[in-house]
Amino acid sequence: MIDILDLTADVLVAGGGPAGAWAALKAAQAGADVILVDKGYTGTSGATASAGTGVWYVEPQAREAAMASREHLNGHLSDRRWMARVLDQTYANIHELATTGRYPFPILADGSELRRGVQGPEYMRRMRAWLKRGGVRVLDHSPALELLTDPTGAVAGVAGHRRQLDQPYRVRAGAVVLATGGCAFLSRALGCDVNTGDGALFAAEVGATLSGMEFSNAYAIAPEFSSVTKTAYYNYATFYREDGTVLEGAASQSGRSVIARALLNERVFARLDLADDTVRAAMRRGQPNFFLPFDRMRIDPFEDRFPITLLLEGTVRGTGGVRVVDDDCSTGVPGLYVAGDVATRELICGGFTGGGSHNSAWAMSSGTWAGTAAARHAAALGTTARRRRPVSAGQAGLRPTGVVSGDHREVVRAVQAETHPYLKNYLRRGDRLDQALATLDELWADTRAHLHGSPVEARQAAAMVAHARWMYTAALARTESRGMHKRLDHPGTDPSRRHRLLVGGLDELWTAADPVRPHTPLDLAVAS
Amino acid sequence: MIELISADRCVTCDRCIEACPTNVFDRGVDGVPVIARQADCQTCFMCEAYCPTDALFVAPTVAPLPAGDPLRDEEHLVATGLLGSYRAGIGWGHGRTPGSRLAVGPDITPPA
């Protein structure tokens, strides 16, 4: 074993997708010495880099309508104040990306730039270059494995592993921003295999709480053989059975569960036959990677029917995550901040996110606030931060309590068997959730006691088991249908349950209603 | 999944080893990367985008292709224009216009 790499920084950011990149950039701009550690490579890591995404970039006069348009879909769990500040922050960040960040947006006929979307590879390549210019030290292929705390319980850094050097590392820092993404349970949904919920586990191990974990059953449409998810383009699709008849009721939006139900028994086909020539050309310009599976398999998606599947996007597109307790994206644990998909996105999305534009807006806004606040926190600690004696907080997958046995691959297969199937996670019903949770509880006890081995893979496996248990514990507690969380045994929405749901714990889990009522026009109507 | 590394085209710059987010490649003894962990490939196409010589090909399937599949054959991929097609599609490479400049996509508002 090579000696441990021991570093110090003011701010440590874990995760190099958009949220982590913005957090690191803003912390550096605030004067902090910043290290960013990435499981993969900052520039290609995460759900955005390999995709393309809209951005919730809205001119001031259109913001009221933009906010109102989402509230019914999301179960009235979003908060107007947060939506407004995300719209403001995103508008400012996109301007900065276009100018200082030199992102080449499309130029329209009138000379203005079209700023409502970004191509993932270009966006993240520019962010990486910008981070380097800003003096941020980036450690690629160096996943964080656990948080370090000081004797008071404040977060004091991270420990991790440099995969390509097989070298452990430790970074002592005044503050940590987790931006490790959501969890898609290694479903192969585009770019999501680095998103195994690691950060949520780290946060829970130091006492942070999660919120909205019942909103974790997002599935995306992809060609059956492929990883390429771009559900929005399937607004132009008709869905068919194998015999060529139309699958009635199936749709990309408000008809995806029809597809899930059909897929239980038969193959489902799609054809983008609602796209005219103008739309076809625009799709190709808008997102070239959408066409890779088709071009390479000699399929014409506008003329041929091709088989499709639904890939789990879990809490990557689902809105659950670590609870945000204040405007600065703090978590209630001193020194710990969250940004992007690892944080709950309920504040602006409630219980539902359709497209990626809110998600990208949340990533850059929460990254900005978390990075700025982390820099401020570290500055207030000053040099005392580096004198703290760090204690390792990691448990499951790193420090088994019993005899070492088993293999991370078996754990991954077992957790996937409880989370991927449409019958368990998508078409939710109490008895099936109960059964899945019982299996997961056993799997957790076993993992906690016995799993050890390749540190990165073992830790990912443990994180996924923890994530699945929080998801189903919350899903069982919400005995109604709201947002993306639909219960077949509780199909209606219960007005008395218009609150967020917290879940916490590692061995023993608990849930609680979040008493903070989201600020929406419904409340104003009641008040007046 | 990643299916091809062309030893003829590769300039042993290590960009793919660096850029692969799931750490699929190892450096071979001759400097040409080897596909060391194909099962970890998430079919995200990023290695293709970062390869300066279009030496890599990612098949769009999430399972490995059988031996003899044309998508593993460099000559076929060159003849069909597939090798390097993603990098061209996003406008990366000398003399190209970044694809993001042209990325005016369709209206994706769900039908009412």
Side-chain angles (χ1 to χ4, degrees):
Chain A
M1 181 75 80
I2 302 172
D3 283 346
I4 189 166
L5 173 69
D6 208 340
L7 302 170
T8 59
D10 297 325
V11 172
L12 179 288
V13 178
W22 280 103
L25 183 71
K26 291 296 169 181
Q29 286 177 359
D33 175 28
V34 183
I35 294 178
L36 186 157
V37 296
D38 194 318
K39 183 188 282 183
Y41 173 83
T42 297
T44 66
S45 264
T48 297
S50 47
T53 180
V55 179
W56 205 31
Y57 179 86
V58 182
E59 296 295 338
Q61 66 277 11
R63 289 184 189 171
E64 188 68 22
M67 292 190 282
S69 72
R70 307 292 301 190
E71 286 167 340
H72 179 68
L73 273 174
N74 79 33
H76 297 279
L77 291 180
S78 54
D79 187 310
R80 277 287 175 102
R81 193 178 66 80
W82 275 88
M83 289 168 129
R85 65 195 290 260
V86 164
L87 283 165
D88 287 347
Q89 189 65 55
T90 300
Y91 199 77
N93 285 31
I94 286 290
H95 177 74
E96 197 179 351
L97 178 66
T99 50
T100 319
R102 306 181 56 162
Y103 180 90
F105 284 101
I107 295 166
L108 301 174
D110 65 1
S112 67
E113 288 184 342
L114 182 68
R115 292 177 168 181
R116 290 200 308 268
V118 287
Q119 287 198 336
E122 191 68 54
Y123 174 30
M124 293 315 298
R125 175 169 79 159
R126 302 277 170 167
M127 290 305 294
R128 183 184 180 90
W130 199 358
L131 290 172
K132 294 281 185 173
R133 290 206 302 278
V136 172
R137 285 179 282 168
V138 176
L139 297 186
D140 300 304
H141 299 287
S142 303
L145 295 176
E146 61 179 325
L147 292 170
L148 306 173
T149 56
D150 75 6
T152 71
V155 169
V158 306
H161 195 78
R162 309 197 74 189
R163 297 180 100 160
Q164 296 188 333
L165 304 171
D166 195 21
Q167 180 192 27
Y169 73 82
R170 183 173 77 160
V171 180
R172 280 171 292 169
V176 170
V177 179
L178 291 174
T180 48
C183 181
F185 299 94
L186 298 174
S187 69
R188 291 279 140 90
L190 188 63
C192 290
D193 275 9
V194 291
N195 301 130
T196 50
D198 310 2
L201 177 59
F202 305 164
E205 284 172 336
V206 298
T209 299
L210 297 109
S211 181
M213 291 301 283
E214 67 276 32
F215 306 121
S216 46
N217 50 343
Y219 284 80
I221 302 173
E224 187 183 68
F225 53 85
S226 159
S227 61
V228 177
T229 50
K230 180 70 183 171
T231 301
Y233 279 11
Y234 290 89
N235 286 337
Y236 289 98
T238 307
F239 297 91
Y240 300 90
R241 299 175 189 277
E242 185 137 33
D243 65 8
T245 58
V246 170
L247 182 62
E248 291 299 337
S252 165
Q253 314 277 337
S254 317
R256 219 177 297 167
S257 64
V258 174
I259 299 173
R261 261 190 206 93
L263 282 170
L264 295 173
N265 303 308
E266 58 185 318
R267 294 173 90 197
V268 175
F269 294 74
R271 183 168 64 191
L272 304 176
D273 36 25
L274 307 179
D276 62 21
D277 286 345
T278 313
V279 169
R280 292 177 185 197
M283 281 181 169
R284 207 172 261 281
R285 283 193 308 270
Q287 196 161 352
N289 72 354
F290 179 76
F291 291 91
L292 292 175
F294 304 120
D295 293 347
R296 292 176 181 201
M297 298 305 277
R298 297 277 178 256
I299 293 168
D300 180 343
F302 304 111
E303 301 294 335
D304 305 331
R305 289 191 293 264
F306 54 92
I308 56 154
T309 189
L310 294 171
L311 295 177
L312 179 60
E313 291 183 314
T315 53
V316 174
R317 197 175 294 268
T319 62
V322 177
R323 185 192 188 197
V324 171
V325 304
D326 207 343
D327 284 6
D328 58 1
C329 293
S330 54
T331 60
V333 180
L336 185 66
Y337 301 83
V338 284
D341 292 345
V342 70
T344 183
R345 212 186 309 113
E346 290 168 294
L347 297 160
I348 65 160
C349 292
F352 176 85
T353 303
S357 68
H358 294 69
N359 308 5
S360 64
W362 173 248
M364 65 179 73
S365 300
S366 60
T368 296
W369 298 324
T372 307
R376 196 183 315 125
H377 184 87
L381 286 176
T383 52
T384 60
R386 294 174 191 212
R387 290 200 298 271
R388 297 186 289 182
R389 283 208 160 275
V391 180
S392 304
Q395 300 169 20
L398 289 177
R399 296 180 182 87
T401 54
V403 180
V404 173
S405 72
D407 179 273
H408 64 85
R409 279 170 285 249
E410 293 162 24
V411 176
V412 170
R413 272 193 293 274
V415 72
Q416 288 179 329
E418 302 306 320
T419 52
H420 285 199
Y422 312 139
L423 265 185
K424 295 184 184 182
N425 193 10
Y426 197 165
L427 309 168
R428 288 176 169 179
R429 214 173 67 187
D431 55 343
R432 293 196 289 249
L433 289 168
D434 261 327
Q435 203 176 10
L437 183 57
T439 305
L440 290 162
D441 285 344
E442 252 177 74
L443 185 62
W444 173 260
D446 200 49
T447 299
R448 179 74 191 91
H450 305 299
L451 183 65
H452 190 251
S454 160
V456 178
E457 280 77 14
R459 197 66 168 143
Q460 289 187 166
M464 285 189 276
V465 182
H467 219 78
R469 290 176 71 228
W470 292 318
M471 281 163 49
Y472 287 172
T473 300
L476 277 163
R478 191 176 283 286
T479 48
E480 61 161 354
S481 292
R482 187 180 291 273
M484 68 169 59
H485 167 74
K486 302 269 194 282
R487 285 277 298 261
L488 298 180
D489 49 346
H490 294 282
T493 299
D494 174 356
S496 73
R497 290 177 183 273
R498 191 169 78 82
H499 53 69
R500 301 198 189 115
L501 194 59
L502 307 180
V503 59
L506 289 163
D507 297 325
E508 300 297 322
L509 306 192
W510 54 266
T511 62
D514 188 344
V516 178
R517 283 176 67 84
H519 175 78
T520 79
L522 276 190
D523 301 296
L524 300 179
V526 171
S528 64
Chain B
M1 284 180 155
I2 178 77
E3 290 287 356
L4 179 85
I5 300 173
S6 165
D8 288 343
R9 289 172 170 242
C10 178
V11 290
T12 64
C13 69
D14 288 357
R15 289 296 283 137
C16 57
I17 298 174
E18 245 176 25
C20 172
T22 56
N23 195 31
V24 162
F25 304 102
D26 277 343
R27 189 176 299 119
V29 283
D30 53 358
V32 177
V34 292
I35 303 167
R37 288 164 295 274
Q38 191 188 27
D40 289 342
C41 173
Q42 61 172 352
T43 318
C44 70
F45 307 97
M46 297 306 295
C47 57
E48 262 192 62
Y50 275 80
C51 177
T53 59
D54 298 330
L56 300 171
F57 185 75
V58 178
T61 45
V62 292
L65 294 175
D69 192 287
L71 292 184
R72 300 180 64 182
D73 173 25
E74 184 173 345
E75 264 181 56
H76 172 81
L77 295 173
V78 172
T80 50
L82 289 178
L83 201 60
S85 57
Y86 182 42
R87 201 162 69 100
I90 59 172
W92 282 16
H94 184 70
R96 290 175 174 155
T97 303
S100 65
R101 272 268 187 251
L102 313 169
V104 184
D107 178 12
I108 48 169
T109 319

